[in-house]
Amino acid sequence: MTTPVKVYGPTLSTEVSRVLACFLEKDVKFELIPVNMAKGEHKKPDYLKIQPFGQVPAFQDEDITLFESRSINRYICDKYGSQGNKGLYGTNPLEKASIDQWI
């Protein structure tokens, strides 16, 4: 059984919600790990190890760590290209470039 990917951050964050929407569209199992920004959890040393700028979201897939919602979504769409919404990030260069303009 595969370990679910992890995303760190509050669900009310636009950037975290963007990643969660991608997971749902691609049928990717995930674990949401809340980060309480009001309490400064995003600036604690353990969190800064996975997101050096202390922002949300942060993402882990086994030994891979990423940040920035757009980069996370591109990774998810490429890695899980054959499942869920197959055209989510476009299927040819023009579609992909057009999507990049708007996100």
Side-chain angles (χ1 to χ4, degrees):
M1 181 170 177
T2 17
T3 306
V5 297
K6 297 177 183 177
V7 64
Y8 298 78
T11 55
L12 293 178
S13 160
T14 302
E15 292 78 11
V16 172
S17 294
R18 181 183 292 129
V19 171
L20 297 178
C22 182
F23 290 159
L24 294 172
E25 286 285 333
K26 296 301 291 175
D27 294 327
V28 174
K29 291 182 182 174
F30 65 93
E31 178 183 357
L32 176 61
I33 300 168
V35 175
N36 188 328
M37 297 180 78
K39 291 185 178 178
E41 291 176 356
H42 61 301
K43 298 296 183 183
K44 298 208 172 182
D46 284 344
Y47 186 75
L48 292 172
K49 288 177 187 173
I50 59 172
Q51 213 304 2
F53 301 115
Q55 298 173 345
V56 294
F59 168 84
Q60 291 181 314
D61 182 9
E62 297 178 6
D63 61 343
I64 295 169
T65 301
L66 296 170
F67 52 90
E68 296 297 334
S69 61
R70 291 163 184 89
S71 297
I72 295 166
N73 286 352
R74 283 187 188 101
Y75 172 84
I76 290 297
C77 285
D78 284 344
K79 180 171 181 180
Y80 299 96
S82 64
Q83 67 188 62
N85 182 342
K86 294 172 183 61
L88 184 62
Y89 234 96
T91 57
N92 65 55
L94 180 57
E95 285 179 1
K96 290 178 181 185
S98 297
I99 290 167
D100 282 343
Q101 285 180 356
W102 291 102
I103 63 165

